[in-house]
Amino acid sequence: MATDGKLALYENFMAINSVDAGGYERFDVKRGLRNADGTGVIAGITNVSNVHGYVMSDNVKVADEGHLTYRGYDVYDLLGDEGSNRRFGFEEVAYLLLMGSLPTQEQLDRFVAEIDSQRELPDGFTASMIMRDTPPDIMNMLARSALLLYAYDNDAEERSAEHEIHAALSLISRLPRIMVLSYYAVRARYANESMIMHRFVPGQSTAETILSMLRPDRSFTPEEARMLDIMLCLHAEHGGGNNSTFTTRVLTSSDTDPYSTYAAALGSLKGRKHGGANHQVRAMQAEIKQAVKDWANEDEVAAYLAKIVSKQAYDKSGLVYGMGHAVYTKSDPRAVICKRFASQLAEGTEFEAEFKLLESIERLAPQVILQEKGTSKDMCANVDMYSGFVYSMMGIPDELFTPLFACARMPGWAAHRFEEIVSGKRIIRPAYKVVGSLHREYVPIEQRG
């Protein structure tokens, strides 16, 4: 860094920025907007979706089966059809989230046609914005692209319903394409690989478009496209309290433009404690696969999990990534659905043994945690336990795991932005309690030592 060795600006970084943690309890401050029992502080009201994982009985948190609803519809019902003729659902889910109800066939056809018509990028955008000064992380590219698209919108500062819907549909349509182009731009710049620039195929679903543009030979099976479609649906929305959706609400409440709002949400989702957590899961799973010689031997699997929990293995944090959730206790419906379809896709393939290993990790982790830490906690696998595995089965590179999450979450972010514009009406401005010195005597510079 430019200031290294010249200015001692970093030596007291930790001390200067440390705040007495006891203040959280002393002043009853909800750290991380969480209550003492881990439940979220109610910060707003919404009609968009609900995440249910426990019930409160006599002020005690009681574990319950997980449910996720979009506009009142249970995700199990929306994605429950396993038949071979099951239609693509992401566009239908996007319509539901944005428009508030399930579409008729005519409404869905018009909606899909509108998304299809928006995929084209502005002239020269790929060469000047994606292939120039390409950052190493695709999430940064998506955020940058969202901000840059502001410049191509003559009505960017308009807040009408028509413009808000137009801006949202344009990003829902374009982000998947920008994601794939960015992936190849990153590979070309940092790994000296070929820059593949497939055109999108008009009429393809979002899932088909991603696979068609990503695969060098453009080929994919119907089963792969359906599986990716399922993943997009599962990630489309997850309540108003998750970090990136709350970010969307906060930015919207300040009356900023939609492009700035969605760019901020993308920055939030990139975080390793949010959308980026799937990388931790896959890295941990990769270590277990290498360290455990017999994946079918549950004693061996449990023994290595014990090393992870006792902070002797992986990142020595003691966490089993892919297990546990802030809301879900007995089950994460996204993980349940993802696991079911992953099982079908893995059956009879080279991935079947790995799928069974993940099942063992899911089953054994709570027992190992109890054994090693002496604590019992209602804990289920979260969606990240199987999502990265699903993407890997389809040959989707690790670098695209979080960007895919982002492309899927755009309808949810947009729905919450719309609701905040119409119903919020007040800038979100929480308070912070000052616990340091309230008054310090000013000392002239020549007297400071």
Side-chain angles (χ1 to χ4, degrees):
M1 295 183 183
T3 54
D4 283 356
K6 298 179 182 179
L7 297 174
L9 297 178
Y10 315 115
E11 59 184 17
N12 295 320
F13 182 83
M14 297 300 292
I16 290 170
N17 294 293
S18 294
V19 177
D20 178 14
Y24 287 102
E25 184 175 352
R26 190 162 63 251
F27 299 108
D28 191 28
V29 175
K30 312 296 187 181
R31 192 173 195 174
L33 289 181
R34 301 277 185 86
N35 295 308
D37 61 2
T39 59
V41 173
I42 301 297
I45 55 178
T46 182
N47 288 324
V48 177
S49 71
N50 184 52
V51 181
H52 173 85
Y54 55 83
V55 294
M56 297 301 295
S57 177
D58 295 326
N59 293 320
V60 176
K61 183 178 174 182
V62 180
D64 197 12
E65 295 295 342
H67 285 280
L68 172 62
T69 58
Y70 295 167
R71 298 286 188 182
Y73 291 98
D74 196 302
V75 72
Y76 285 123
D77 295 330
L78 292 172
L79 303 178
D81 184 2
E82 301 179 44
S84 59
N85 295 321
R86 195 192 73 82
R87 64 184 182 278
F88 291 105
F90 177 66
E91 286 75 13
E92 190 170 355
V93 163
Y95 184 100
L96 170 64
L97 292 171
L98 297 180
M99 307 305 175
S101 60
L102 288 171
T104 65
Q105 187 62 58
E106 179 185 0
Q107 290 170 330
L108 181 60
D109 291 343
R110 288 168 55 194
F111 184 75
V112 169
E114 181 61 27
I115 290 178
D116 198 43
S117 72
Q118 295 278 347
R119 292 211 195 277
E120 196 66 74
L121 295 171
D123 288 343
F125 191 90
T126 301
S128 62
M129 304 299 181
I130 295 178
M131 297 180 65
R132 182 178 178 181
D133 300 325
T134 307
D137 194 290
I138 297 168
M139 288 297 290
N140 287 71
M141 178 63 85
L142 292 182
R144 184 173 88 172
S145 295
L147 287 172
L148 289 170
L149 285 170
Y150 172 98
Y152 295 90
D153 185 343
N154 294 329
D155 303 309
E157 288 296 341
E158 188 179 320
R159 301 291 188 273
S160 68
E162 293 82 1
H163 179 261
E164 286 292 337
I165 291 173
H166 169 78
L169 290 181
S170 130
L171 288 172
I172 290 170
S173 176
R174 288 169 164 174
L175 281 183
R177 188 169 178 226
I178 293 171
M179 173 187 69
V180 178
L181 291 171
S182 298
Y183 167 72
Y184 280 114
V186 169
R187 299 304 299 171
R189 179 173 183 182
Y190 297 97
N192 296 317
E193 295 182 359
S194 298
M195 178 70 194
I196 297 176
M197 297 173 61
H198 289 317
R199 288 282 300 167
F200 67 93
V201 178
Q204 286 187 332
S205 70
T206 299
E208 291 173 313
T209 296
I210 292 169
L211 290 174
S212 174
M213 290 188 62
L214 181 62
R215 301 275 174 87
D217 63 0
R218 310 207 70 163
S219 66
F220 56 87
T221 67
E223 291 74 23
E224 288 176 319
R226 287 195 197 96
M227 187 70 247
L228 181 54
D229 180 71
I230 289 289
M231 298 305 300
L232 295 174
C233 290
L234 291 176
H235 283 119
E237 167 56 8
H238 206 239
N242 67 81
N243 194 277
S244 58
T245 300
F246 188 62
T247 298
T248 300
R249 292 272 190 172
V250 171
L251 269 286
T252 300
S253 77
S254 76
D255 195 29
T256 194
D257 66 275
Y259 301 96
S260 295
T261 297
Y262 299 130
L266 285 159
S268 165
L269 192 70
K270 178 192 174 184
R272 289 178 290 184
K273 293 182 180 180
H274 191 9
N278 49 41
H279 292 291
Q280 292 274 42
V281 176
R282 286 305 283 168
M284 183 200 72
Q285 291 171 352
E287 181 170 298
I288 293 173
K289 284 162 57 180
Q290 185 173 12
V292 176
K293 291 186 170 31
D294 183 1
W295 297 354
N297 188 319
E298 292 197 352
D299 289 338
E300 280 192 54
V301 176
Y304 203 79
L305 286 174
K307 288 185 177 181
I308 292 175
V309 173
S310 60
K311 302 182 180 182
Q312 299 175 50
Y314 187 48
D315 64 355
K316 298 179 173 57
S317 67
L319 300 175
V320 179
Y321 294 100
M323 295 297 299
H325 189 268
V327 178
Y328 297 125
T329 52
K330 289 187 175 181
S331 61
D332 178 342
R334 302 168 304 166
V336 173
I337 293 173
C338 181
K339 178 181 177 180
R340 186 175 74 214
F341 284 98
S343 173
Q344 296 171 5
L345 202 60
E347 187 175 1
T349 72
E350 60 185 297
F351 297 101
E352 190 169 9
E354 183 177 351
F355 176 78
K356 291 179 178 178
L357 172 62
L358 300 191
E359 283 189 306
S360 295
I361 294 172
E362 176 185 4
R363 183 172 57 257
L364 295 171
Q367 304 170 25
V368 172
I369 292 171
L370 174 62
Q371 171 189 312
E372 294 297 314
K373 294 186 175 182
T375 57
S376 179
K377 180 182 177 182
D378 292 298
M379 178 182 293
C380 62
N382 60 52
V383 68
D384 290 329
M385 176 64 76
Y386 294 97
S387 62
F389 169 68
V390 167
Y391 293 145
S392 296
M393 277 197 292
M394 291 188 284
I396 293 174
D398 291 7
E399 301 97 312
L400 289 180
F401 291 0
T402 309
L404 275 169
F405 191 164
C407 292
R409 185 54 61 87
M410 257 305 303
W413 289 335
H416 282 278
R417 174 172 168 82
F418 296 171
E419 197 173 66
E420 188 67 30
I421 288 173
V422 174
S423 302
K425 303 299 186 185
R426 182 172 291 186
I427 188 170
I428 296 173
R429 188 191 179 282
Y432 274 70
K433 176 71 176 177
V434 175
V435 294
S437 300
L438 292 178
H439 178 72
R440 300 167 76 180
E441 290 292 335
Y442 175 78
V443 178
I445 192 168
E446 63 272 9
Q447 297 177 23
R448 297 171 201 165

